[in-house]
Amino acid sequence: MDESAVKMIQCLQKLSAAEFLMFKELFRREMEEYEHMQVSWDIIKMASERDLILLLNRNYLRHLWGVLSALFVQVNRTDLWTMAQTLKIDDQNSYKEIMKIIFQHIWSKETFVQMDEENYQITVEEEYNALQEVFDCPLEPVTTVVLGSKGKGKTTFLRKAMLDWASGNLWQNRFQYVFFISLISLNNVTELSLAELMLAKLSQSSETLEKVISDPKRVLFILEGLEYLKFDLELRTNLCNDWGKTLPTQVVFSSLLQKVMLPGSSLLIELGNPSVPKIYPLLQYPKKITIQGFTDEITRFYCMCFFSDYQKGLQVFDYLKKSEQLLTLCRNPYMCWVSCSTLMWQWDREEEMNLVGVTDSIIYTSFMVSAFRSVYDNCPPNQNRARLKTLCTLAAEAMWKQVFVFTSEDLRRNGISESEKAVWLGMNFLCTQGEDFMFYHPTLQSYFTALFYFLRQDEDTPHPVIGSLPQLLREVYDHGQTIWLLTGIFVFGIATEKVTNILKPHFDFIPSKDIKQEILKCFRSLSQAECSEKLMNTQRLFESLLDNQEESFETEVMDLFEEMTVDISNVDALLVATHGLLKSQKLKKLHLHIQHKVFSEIYNPEDGDLEEFEYNKKKAIKYWSMLCKIFQDLQVLDLDCCNFNETAIRRLCDSMYPSSKDPLTAFKLQNGALFHTILLLPHLKSVNLYGTNLSNDAVENMCSVLKCPACRVEELLLGKCDISSEACGMIATCLIYRKVKHLSLVENPLKNKGVRLLCEILKHPSCVMETLMLSCCCLNFNACCHLYEALLCNKYLSLLDLSSNVLEDFGVNILCEALKDPKCTLQELWLSGCFLTSNCCGGISAVLTSKKNLKTLKLGKNNIEDAGIKQLCEALRNPNCKLQCLGLDMNDFKTDCCADLASALTTCRTLTSLNLDWITFDHDGLQLLCEALSHKSCNLKVLGLDKSALTEESQMLLQAVEMKEKLDILHCPWVKEERERRGVRLVWNSTN
């Protein structure tokens, strides 16, 4: 607090109690008259002299001195009027002085640290030093991100930085202007300009916006609460560089974050773990500061500061130290504050210290109940329930509106009386922000929102804003809303016997069993479809289960899923995933993605201190060893994009022993060091290495294992492995051991030489190859010459995929000669994107009319035009044609051909699947097709067509046919099957 503020307090302290109350009443009237009232009368009425000066400095500085002098006269204290004149401050306050006053108030009233500035700085010394160094360069703009999990103190850290800058202790030679913007209060603002925001900060000072903007490199924006902003900041288009223009809120902040607006300025932002994947990639060359939380020594120091008593603080720390889990929990600063607050209330009631359990829900419930009992301990449970329900309704309503700041009217509308408001403020459930209110920490709002669903009753009138519990669960686990994550976790945690036992004596019946049934119903629905489409993030489910910790319920939820895809980004995520996956008894397919940070051998100072790095290394191996125990009971294990160190590989190998349970039959891995262990598993049938770069040495290593008599692998998926012609020859030698029936070499530079070596083995009598996938392998028509002989000699080959190779008409005509031969057994031929024209359609038609065993022909993405279509349709009308599946997608042909297609559809009785995707039909042509589709002789079951690309009239026509006939009209109908056959998986969207 500055000297003038101290003297102002001294002025007020000279007033008697009655004069001071009269002074505050006169001040209220004065401010109401001029419509400057920003702080509620309740707060001003209860304020001490010191608190009043802090409030007035923060909210009324421009009007303060002009009003105070007049008020001293009105309370008949001319002596104080004279004193005030000597202290009077005009409107020439510097921006920095004003920020110092404001943030001193924030520090003392709106943070949970409850330490003075010097003691707090001791707890974040390492991070604070990094904050000083990160902006060293005076010329270049810098973007710095403060990272850390919930409750680690990121917001407090930013507020301390702002206070220190304003106090002259930080960045004095670097930034002339620092703007602290709390985004949490902007969720209801749809439009603004950056100039507006800056002017609002400058309004109480003499500084001008023009002066600020004249040197952007001396400007820093501190952004608090990015993860609570409901707007999508991933916007990459419509960005704007005009800082003075009024724009949608998301455009302003997206433009600022991505350095389109005021690119010369610097940024300091906080990001919680759930927001990092969304926001971090938008930033330009960001620097990181990770908030580590408390060490045990700092926790001890904090306890002594909290209780302002060395002996009492030491006694509390000794109690926490008795439980390793509790002490670990208190390394999170906010959880340490919650725990100390709970123990303080117990101490005040002369009870023994008792923190039961270590889950977040149990700790928060103990905190809430202890606070509640400090005021309402003797009230009946039904009254307590009604009081608590009003607070929970406020929390839930605000959460569904995605707002975190609310007015006195919001409190009143939800049934919170003035006396209850004072109680919630005293309990630190709520805090003030100017004249508005917030929950003391956003996590508390999530907790009370979850608790709302346990307090409401069936006879309650539905709230117009608050969604049902199933809607909430879908927001968390289906729609992937980040701000709902903690609420979802708390729903799981409160629905336990331990939490129910804490709540019931004070708030009556808690329907935890009903809530569990709602949870199971939701996840039963999510497990019906592919989890990648429905369950947005398995890590969220695992975190929720960790807060439940009722083993039977955890198993019941996990057993709803037979297949899961899990991304593990750090050691904590590995711990949480291991806890969840170990509860599953019915999981059959696991797709696991482990980022490099989990098993990293290289210490990065940005990620914390060396001691913690070594601790995390040991912890990662511990939980990995536990997780490996479930692998032998899976049918499919996919370790795509997994980054291992040698120890992790060794633990994986040690775990892969034969099991008497369901055997592992399919495996996908990245590291060649696992070949000898994995490929010899007695039940292993399928291996997928898609996307793994394999050197010739690695391929040779793999082939040596495939040749072993003990190897039972029948499906080998080696797409996009950078396999050379020479390596292809090595793989070919494995095919004579009468094992591999399905081989995919898609997206490899095999070239004609590689196919020649492959075909030599295909001709061998011992080769039992049934499907061969060679799309995107850099082949031309010469490869068809080698394939010609292989097709005549091999008795087993039924599917050949040559898509996306430059075969041209000449090459396909060579293949057609082989296909017409009675010795050829091929049933499926994929030729999409092979640069074909109508000149090859004569040969193809001859095959269709002479070979009854060819069932599938894919000719999409070629240029066969009208003449080719007509020839193919003529072949389809031939009684000898037994084709079942035909692909003509992405071929250009005119409406005239629709008549030929219509005729073929009503004549060819075997054709059940036709792909016409990406082809533009006019309404007349489509009408011809629809008439054929409705004909009794048409047996088509699947039609590939993008209905959304057609006119509304055409869509209605197709819809009528689809409803009438047993016909599925699908966009991209074969993509899933083709990817599975080729072993292609979408690239995992993680930073590895």
Side-chain angles (χ1 to χ4, degrees):
M1 184 174 296
D2 61 22
E3 185 179 350
S4 63
V6 172
K7 290 180 179 179
M8 290 165 66
I9 294 171
Q10 291 172 353
C11 284
L12 295 182
Q13 287 175 337
K14 293 180 182 298
L15 295 170
S16 67
E19 287 172 334
F20 185 45
L21 184 61
M22 182 180 176
F23 176 91
K24 289 191 282 189
E25 172 62 28
L26 290 169
F27 182 83
R28 177 178 71 86
R29 293 176 186 174
E30 188 80 18
M31 290 297 100
E32 286 179 346
E33 182 178 345
Y34 289 99
E35 298 182 347
H36 291 307
M37 204 65 186
Q38 297 178 27
V39 179
S40 69
W41 168 241
D42 290 335
I43 294 173
I44 291 178
K45 185 178 180 181
M46 300 299 295
S48 66
E49 291 87 346
R50 183 181 185 279
D51 288 344
L52 184 62
I53 291 301
L54 284 172
L55 283 170
L56 302 186
N57 266 310
R58 182 181 179 190
N59 296 283
Y60 306 109
L61 193 57
R62 295 196 70 176
H63 316 280
L64 182 59
W65 287 102
V67 173
L68 285 186
S69 296
L71 295 184
F72 283 140
V73 172
Q74 292 181 51
V75 294
N76 297 315
R77 293 299 300 267
T78 55
D79 58 323
L80 296 182
W81 178 89
T82 303
M83 185 176 178
Q85 296 308 300
T86 64
L87 300 172
K88 186 175 180 180
I89 303 174
D90 59 22
D91 283 341
Q92 300 304 307
N93 301 95
S94 75
Y95 172 70
K96 185 177 288 189
E97 288 173 346
I98 294 169
M99 288 299 106
K100 180 180 177 182
I101 293 168
I102 289 173
F103 277 86
Q104 280 180 331
H105 174 82
I106 290 174
W107 186 264
S108 62
K109 296 295 182 182
E110 296 179 14
T111 62
F112 62 80
V113 175
Q114 297 197 352
M115 291 180 174
D116 58 33
E117 301 162 45
E118 291 75 16
N119 282 332
Y120 169 76
Q121 192 158 324
I122 293 172
T123 69
V124 290
E125 184 176 3
E126 189 174 329
E127 295 92 337
Y128 193 83
N129 291 337
L131 188 65
Q132 290 176 308
E133 295 170 3
V134 78
F135 292 107
D136 268 351
C137 179
L139 299 176
E140 296 297 324
V142 176
T143 296
T144 300
V145 185
V146 178
L147 301 172
S149 56
K150 59 181 172 66
K152 281 291 182 71
K154 302 182 294 297
T155 297
T156 304
F157 188 70
L158 295 188
R159 292 175 177 180
K160 177 64 163 59
M162 185 67 186
L163 177 57
D164 281 1
W165 170 78
S167 302
N169 301 323
L170 185 65
W171 305 321
Q172 292 312 293
N173 297 320
R174 180 64 170 91
F175 297 115
Q176 189 171 354
Y177 298 96
V178 179
F179 294 96
F180 192 102
I181 301 174
S182 179
L183 282 81
I184 204 167
S185 62
L186 296 176
N187 268 346
N188 282 336
V189 180
T190 56
E191 286 189 335
L192 50 75
S193 70
L194 189 59
E196 275 180 64
L197 285 173
M198 291 189 286
L199 280 170
K201 305 294 180 183
L202 296 170
S203 63
Q204 296 176 3
S205 76
S206 59
E207 314 282 1
T208 65
L209 188 57
E210 289 71 20
K211 181 181 177 182
V212 174
I213 299 302
S214 66
D215 191 6
K217 69 177 182 292
R218 302 276 284 167
V219 177
L220 171 68
F221 292 96
I222 301 180
L223 303 183
E224 169 196 61
L226 269 174
E227 58 193 298
Y228 298 102
L229 196 63
K230 68 181 178 182
F231 302 108
D232 178 14
L233 294 181
E234 296 176 88
L235 185 73
R236 292 183 183 270
T237 58
N238 300 322
L239 301 180
C240 181
N241 62 2
D242 189 348
W243 49 268
K245 187 175 181 180
T246 298
L247 299 162
T249 304
Q250 68 182 120
V251 174
V252 172
F253 287 109
S254 294
S255 302
L256 185 63
L257 285 174
Q258 297 178 56
K259 289 297 183 181
V260 174
M261 191 175 287
L262 285 184
S265 63
S266 293
L267 297 174
L268 175 61
I269 66 176
E270 58 160 343
L271 284 182
N273 292 339
S275 300
V276 171
K278 293 183 177 181
I279 305 299
Y280 201 83
L282 304 177
L283 308 175
Q284 291 187 12
Y285 310 110
K287 298 183 178 180
K288 294 189 297 183
I289 297 175
T290 302
I291 303 295
Q292 301 297 332
F294 289 170
T295 62
D296 291 350
E297 186 61 32
I298 293 296
T299 304
R300 179 175 176 270
F301 177 66
Y302 180 87
C303 291
M304 289 187 287
C305 291
F306 183 93
F307 288 96
S308 302
D309 182 310
Y310 177 84
Q311 289 301 328
K312 187 180 287 189
L314 199 58
Q315 190 174 344
V316 168
F317 177 74
D318 288 341
Y319 170 77
L320 297 175
K321 197 167 60 173
K322 290 178 182 177
S323 166
E324 182 181 347
Q325 289 179 308
L326 197 55
L327 190 59
T328 300
L329 192 77
C330 286
R331 290 180 183 140
N332 180 304
Y334 185 65
M335 294 304 287
C336 192
W337 176 84
V338 168
S339 300
C340 286
S341 298
T342 306
L343 294 172
M344 179 188 67
W345 281 310
Q346 292 176 356
W347 205 309
D348 290 345
R349 289 193 301 273
E350 299 182 350
E351 298 174 353
E352 289 188 10
M353 288 186 288
N354 183 27
L355 284 177
V356 292
V358 290
T359 69
D360 284 3
S361 292
I362 293 175
I363 292 294
Y364 275 92
T365 302
S366 298
F367 164 78
M368 185 275 293
V369 169
S370 292
F372 210 90
R373 290 182 62 198
S374 68
V375 178
Y376 298 120
D377 199 23
N378 297 320
C379 294
N382 62 328
Q383 291 183 16
N384 286 341
R385 187 187 188 97
R387 287 191 184 95
L388 183 59
K389 191 174 176 181
T390 62
L391 186 66
C392 293
T393 306
L394 172 71
E397 179 190 77
M399 188 69 82
W400 278 98
K401 289 179 177 178
Q402 295 190 30
V403 297
F404 299 88
V405 178
F406 20 88
T407 65
S408 292
E409 171 58 25
D410 293 325
L411 272 65
R412 186 199 62 75
R413 188 181 63 254
N414 284 293
I416 298 175
S417 66
E418 291 296 318
S419 60
E420 286 171 345
K421 178 169 65 176
V423 170
W424 303 143
L425 288 168
M427 290 180 181
N428 289 327
F429 290 172
L430 298 178
C431 66
T432 58
Q433 189 183 62
E435 66 174 344
D436 294 327
F437 299 86
M438 296 175 59
F439 279 89
Y440 201 60
H441 191 276
T443 308
L444 268 181
Q445 184 171 341
S446 296
Y447 171 79
F448 284 115
T449 299
L451 194 57
F452 168 85
Y453 292 94
F454 292 83
L455 296 180
R456 68 173 305 175
Q457 294 169 316
D458 293 338
E459 60 270 19
D460 290 348
T461 304
H463 194 285
V465 173
I466 301 173
S468 65
L469 181 60
Q471 287 174 311
L472 182 149
L473 294 172
R474 283 196 294 272
E475 288 293 330
V476 181
Y477 305 103
D478 184 5
H479 303 157
Q481 287 283 359
T482 301
I483 65 168
W484 284 103
L485 174 57
L486 287 176
T487 306
I489 291 173
F490 281 129
V491 167
F492 270 76
I494 298 172
T496 62
E497 189 175 339
K498 286 182 179 178
V499 174
T500 300
N501 290 339
I502 299 171
L503 291 170
K504 188 175 180 181
H506 310 286
F507 305 104
D508 214 350
F509 174 69
I510 304 296
S512 57
K513 291 183 179 178
D514 295 340
I515 299 292
K516 286 179 183 176
Q517 290 306 310
E518 289 278 12
I519 293 172
L520 288 169
K521 184 178 179 180
C522 169
F523 282 97
R524 191 172 291 111
S525 173
L526 294 181
S527 66
Q528 298 303 311
E530 292 184 4
C531 56
S532 61
E533 294 177 3
K534 299 298 289 182
L535 183 60
M536 291 294 292
N537 189 328
T538 53
Q539 203 69 26
R540 294 184 173 188
L541 171 57
F542 297 149
E543 289 178 16
S544 300
L545 292 174
L546 191 63
D547 206 58
N548 181 274
Q549 293 200 4
E550 287 190 343
E551 190 162 346
S552 59
F553 180 68
E554 291 179 276
T555 299
E556 200 171 355
V557 173
M558 286 298 297
D559 280 353
L560 295 171
F561 296 90
E562 292 189 355
E563 181 173 4
M564 277 193 163
T565 299
V566 181
D567 178 29
I568 297 176
S569 56
N570 53 47
V571 176
D572 288 338
L574 175 61
L575 183 158
V576 173
T578 299
H579 175 87
L581 290 168
L582 285 173
K583 303 300 178 186
S584 176
Q585 298 176 347
K586 296 184 179 180
L587 191 66
K588 300 302 178 188
K589 300 178 181 180
L590 177 62
H591 310 283
L592 202 58
H593 306 266
I594 301 178
Q595 299 183 27
H596 77 279
K597 188 176 180 180
V598 179
F599 294 115
S600 176
E601 297 279 2
I602 303 172
Y603 168 60
N604 183 353
E606 287 188 353
D607 295 330
D609 58 37
L610 182 59
E611 183 179 350
E612 184 172 10
F613 172 75
E614 294 297 336
Y615 173 75
N616 280 336
K617 277 177 63 177
K618 293 177 182 177
K619 191 163 70 170
I621 293 301
K622 172 186 175 182
Y623 287 102
W624 174 243
S625 301
M626 293 168 63
L627 182 58
C628 286
K629 293 176 182 177
I630 74 167
F631 293 165
Q632 59 181 309
D633 298 330
L634 298 172
Q635 291 179 355
V636 175
L637 177 60
D638 171 355
L639 299 182
D640 184 30
C641 296
C642 287
N643 294 269
F644 296 121
N645 59 18
E646 289 185 10
T647 307
I649 292 172
R650 188 163 58 250
R651 295 295 171 87
L652 176 61
C653 292
D654 290 345
S655 71
M656 300 304 292
Y657 287 108
S659 170
S660 59
K661 301 178 183 178
D662 294 335
L664 184 69
T665 59
F667 195 86
K668 187 169 190 285
L669 70 166
Q670 183 191 44
N671 196 295
L674 299 173
F675 287 146
H676 279 282
T677 300
I678 303 303
L679 297 183
L680 294 179
L681 289 173
H683 301 287
L684 187 66
K685 301 293 185 183
S686 173
V687 175
N688 189 340
L689 292 170
Y690 181 84
T692 305
N693 287 336
L694 295 178
S695 64
N696 286 358
D697 289 343
V699 172
E700 186 175 13
N701 180 16
M702 177 185 68
C703 291
S704 66
V705 182
L706 289 169
K707 293 175 183 177
C708 293
C711 180
R712 297 288 184 269
V713 173
E714 295 180 354
E715 182 175 68
L716 198 55
L717 307 174
L718 303 175
K720 204 173 183 178
C721 290
D722 200 25
I723 293 173
S724 63
S725 302
E726 290 74 19
C728 184
M730 298 177 202
I731 294 168
T733 60
C734 303
L735 306 181
I736 61 174
Y737 289 84
R738 300 187 67 83
K739 297 172 188 171
V740 178
K741 296 178 180 179
H742 180 88
L743 176 64
S744 175
L745 294 169
V746 301
E747 301 177 55
N748 285 301
L750 305 184
K751 301 181 180 178
N752 297 332
K753 179 182 177 182
V755 171
R756 176 176 61 79
L757 297 171
L758 199 58
C759 287
E760 289 299 319
I761 301 301
L762 284 172
K763 292 185 288 185
H764 196 283
S766 295
C767 179
V768 293
M769 182 72 64
E770 295 177 2
T771 58
L772 178 60
M773 320 303 290
L774 298 175
S775 64
C776 299
C777 286
C778 306
L779 311 181
N780 61 29
F781 65 86
N782 285 317
C784 297
C785 300
H786 306 306
L787 288 164
Y788 172 86
E789 295 183 28
L791 288 171
L792 297 180
C793 296
N794 191 289
K795 299 177 182 179
Y796 300 96
L797 195 65
S798 63
L799 188 158
L800 178 60
D801 174 18
L802 296 171
S803 301
S804 301
N805 289 295
V806 190
L807 304 185
E808 301 176 294
D809 297 329
F810 183 72
V812 170
N813 283 328
I814 294 172
L815 293 176
C816 287
E817 290 301 314
L819 290 171
K820 286 188 288 186
D821 193 291
K823 295 191 291 294
C824 179
T825 59
L826 201 69
Q827 296 181 18
E828 293 191 49
L829 180 60
W830 298 4
L831 296 172
S832 297
C834 289
F835 297 84
L836 310 181
T837 72
S838 58
N839 292 333
C840 68
C841 290
I844 293 173
S845 297
V847 172
L848 294 178
T849 56
S850 63
K851 289 290 290 185
K852 296 182 180 180
N853 56 328
L854 188 65
K855 308 298 183 187
T856 297
L857 178 63
K858 297 186 179 182
L859 297 171
K861 203 177 177 181
N862 284 299
N863 189 29
I864 56 179
E865 299 182 313
D866 295 19
I869 296 293
K870 289 179 181 294
Q871 289 182 73
L872 293 173
C873 289
E874 187 178 345
L876 288 171
R877 291 194 293 266
N878 190 304
N880 293 325
C881 178
K882 303 301 179 186
L883 196 68
Q884 296 175 2
C885 178
L886 175 62
L888 297 174
D889 44 301
M890 297 183 74
N891 278 286
D892 288 330
F893 51 83
K894 297 184 175 65
T895 304
D896 293 348
C897 291
C898 290
D900 295 289
L901 280 170
S903 175
L905 286 172
T906 57
T907 306
C908 184
R909 305 301 298 272
T910 60
L911 192 66
T912 57
S913 183
L914 174 64
N915 193 354
L916 300 176
D917 227 341
W918 306 102
I919 298 174
T920 304
F921 293 100
D922 61 25
H923 187 69
D924 292 340
L926 200 63
Q927 195 159 17
L928 284 173
L929 288 176
C930 287
E931 288 174 3
L933 292 170
S934 301
H935 196 279
K936 62 180 181 179
S937 298
C938 178
N939 290 324
L940 206 68
K941 304 299 181 188
V942 176
L943 174 64
L945 203 61
D946 183 6
K947 290 183 285 187
S948 65
L950 303 172
T951 65
E952 186 175 348
E953 186 181 12
S954 296
Q955 289 185 41
M956 292 177 64
L957 192 63
L958 284 169
Q959 188 175 359
V961 174
E962 197 172 13
M963 291 176 63
K964 182 180 177 183
E965 308 297 327
K966 293 182 179 179
L967 176 68
D968 290 323
I969 302 178
L970 306 171
H971 183 40
C972 303
W974 300 335
V975 167
K976 182 180 176 183
E977 178 210 358
E978 289 174 355
R979 283 179 180 159
E980 288 179 354
R981 292 287 192 97
R982 291 168 177 161
V984 174
R985 284 178 55 79
L986 296 178
V987 176
W988 184 248
N989 188 24
S990 294
T991 304
N992 283 298

